[in-house]
Amino acid sequence: MAANLDEIDWAIIEQLQREARISLSELGRRVKLSSSATTERVRNLESLGIITGYHAAVDLAKVGYPVLAVVRLKYPGNRHQPLRRLVAERREILECLRTTGDDCYTLKIAATSMGHLESLVDELAGFGSTTTSVVYSHTLPYRGPDRP
Amino acid sequence: MAANLDEIDWAIIEQLQREARISLSELGRRVKLSSSATTERVRNLESLGIITGYHAAVDLAKVGYPVLAVVRLKYPGNRHQPLRRLVAERREILECLRTTGDDCYTLKIAATSMGHLESLVDELAGFGSTTTSVVYSHTLPYRGPDRP
DNA sequence: GTTGAAATATATGACGT
DNA sequence: ACGTCATATATTTCAAC
């Protein structure tokens, strides 16, 4: 499953994780490769599904979501479809991880207010018992994996 | 703190959240604005810190991190500096949220193996008691906030 | 993987609305 | 605040090596 990536592939990945909007020629300059070779490598990383996309990051508070929370959900039974549907519909749910352990799901939720968060948690509580923690702060800037 | 964003701003943000590498002229076409006006708006969103960056997303398993885990950390006391230092150093820690509740920190960690995860958790356990859940699967593709 | 040239697309700024 | 147009520049692409 894991791909074989050399040093240059990793340099490309690191640059694009940091600054995804640079041109392929600029990227080539940074990783010391011609723009043709760079283009080919990037296309390859994309088509192998190693790079899965390029996304703008936004300041949640500034776009109207000042409340961020982590909600853990205990989910008795094995009928996961209804929850999946809710999660797919509610765009406020930014991330949904299914995990081992007592809490089957860990969700990251952005809300416009505590009242909004409350109503979202109420919806989730229909599926199982929830534990909600409000986030004080991100202690890290954006970060992706580096060469193992 | 929250900015006033109109429909077009949101259209721009949505397009860039989905596909951050499109050119400003292509973006202008999509949001039905001239490239000059689009450029100005994007620069504005960036300089106001509404858009904070553009990042490539990678498949963690394919780049050598097949194990993803959520680790919660109870952190007695208030000397947070040593933990912050560890978090900043260890690139395997992809996210670190400080939260309300019994668990002061929730971390998302990518590891190359269960053994690797174990050693990371051991390091964290030096700071307080940990609860680790291994992630089976992401149930959502990348997603950002939309217009509230 | 490189180089170089041609075709294309893009960014930029001035001007009018 | 936005559109249009013209210009300068950068980028992509496709050869041949």
Side-chain angles (χ1 to χ4, degrees):
Chain A
M1 199 66 191
N4 270 44
L5 303 172
D6 64 16
E7 202 165 336
I8 297 179
D9 289 319
W10 271 106
I12 288 172
I13 289 169
E14 272 166 26
Q15 288 300 323
L16 291 177
Q17 283 191 127
R18 272 191 215 254
E19 261 190 278
R21 273 179 67 75
I22 58 175
S23 68
L24 293 171
S25 16
E26 172 61 20
L27 178 60
R29 264 167 244 135
R30 297 193 190 179
V31 304
K32 299 182 206 316
L33 222 59
S34 71
S35 83
S36 337
T38 308
T39 304
E40 200 182 331
R41 279 185 185 248
V42 171
R43 300 268 176 272
N44 205 239
L45 292 169
E46 290 169 352
S47 68
L48 291 174
I50 293 166
I51 293 176
T52 59
Y54 305 95
H55 309 289
V58 305
D59 184 307
L60 289 172
K62 288 182 182 161
V63 299
Y65 292 92
V67 178
L68 185 64
V70 176
V71 178
R72 289 179 282 131
L73 177 64
K74 268 187 230 193
Y75 196 91
N78 56 1
R79 290 174 48 262
H80 293 265
Q81 232 55 21
L83 174 63
R84 301 288 171 101
R85 198 173 326 119
L86 174 67
V87 166
E89 275 169 15
R90 289 261 161 276
R91 289 280 308 265
E92 299 96 330
I93 300 174
L94 300 181
E95 200 171 353
C96 175
L97 303 174
R98 188 177 177 197
T99 64
T100 62
D102 210 30
D103 301 300
C104 309
Y105 289 94
T106 299
L107 303 101
K108 195 165 78 174
I109 298 187
T112 57
S113 65
M114 287 304 288
H116 182 205
L117 176 60
E118 185 178 10
S119 74
L120 290 167
V121 171
D122 283 345
E123 283 195 88
L124 288 168
F127 293 98
S129 76
T130 60
T131 307
T132 303
S133 305
V134 177
V135 174
Y136 288 127
S137 60
H138 279 69
T139 70
L140 276 179
Y142 176 85
R143 174 182 283 194
D146 67 345
R147 197 174 188 184
Chain B
M1 196 68 193
N4 269 45
L5 303 172
D6 65 16
E7 201 165 338
I8 297 179
D9 289 319
W10 271 105
I12 288 173
I13 289 169
E14 273 167 25
Q15 287 300 323
L16 291 177
Q17 284 191 124
R18 275 189 212 259
E19 261 189 279
R21 274 180 67 76
I22 59 176
S23 70
L24 293 171
S25 16
E26 170 61 19
L27 178 59
R29 267 166 241 138
R30 297 194 190 178
V31 304
K32 298 182 207 316
L33 223 60
S34 71
S35 83
S36 337
T38 308
T39 304
E40 200 182 332
R41 278 185 185 250
V42 171
R43 300 268 177 270
N44 204 241
L45 292 169
E46 291 169 352
S47 68
L48 291 174
I50 294 166
I51 293 176
T52 59
Y54 306 95
H55 308 289
V58 306
D59 184 308
L60 289 172
K62 287 182 181 159
V63 298
Y65 292 92
V67 178
L68 186 65
V70 176
V71 178
R72 289 178 284 131
L73 177 64
K74 266 187 233 194
Y75 196 90
N78 55 358
R79 290 175 47 261
H80 293 267
Q81 231 55 21
L83 174 63
R84 299 289 171 101
R85 197 170 330 116
L86 174 67
V87 166
E89 276 170 12
R90 287 261 162 277
R91 289 280 308 267
E92 298 96 327
I93 300 174
L94 300 182
E95 201 171 351
C96 176
L97 304 174
R98 187 176 178 197
T99 64
T100 63
D102 210 30
D103 301 300
C104 310
Y105 290 95
T106 298
L107 303 101
K108 196 165 78 174
I109 298 187
T112 57
S113 65
M114 288 301 290
H116 181 205
L117 177 60
E118 186 178 8
S119 75
L120 291 166
V121 171
D122 283 345
E123 283 194 89
L124 289 167
F127 294 97
S129 76
T130 61
T131 307
T132 304
S133 304
V134 177
V135 174
Y136 288 128
S137 60
H138 279 69
T139 70
L140 277 179
Y142 176 86
R143 174 182 283 193
D146 65 348
R147 197 174 187 184

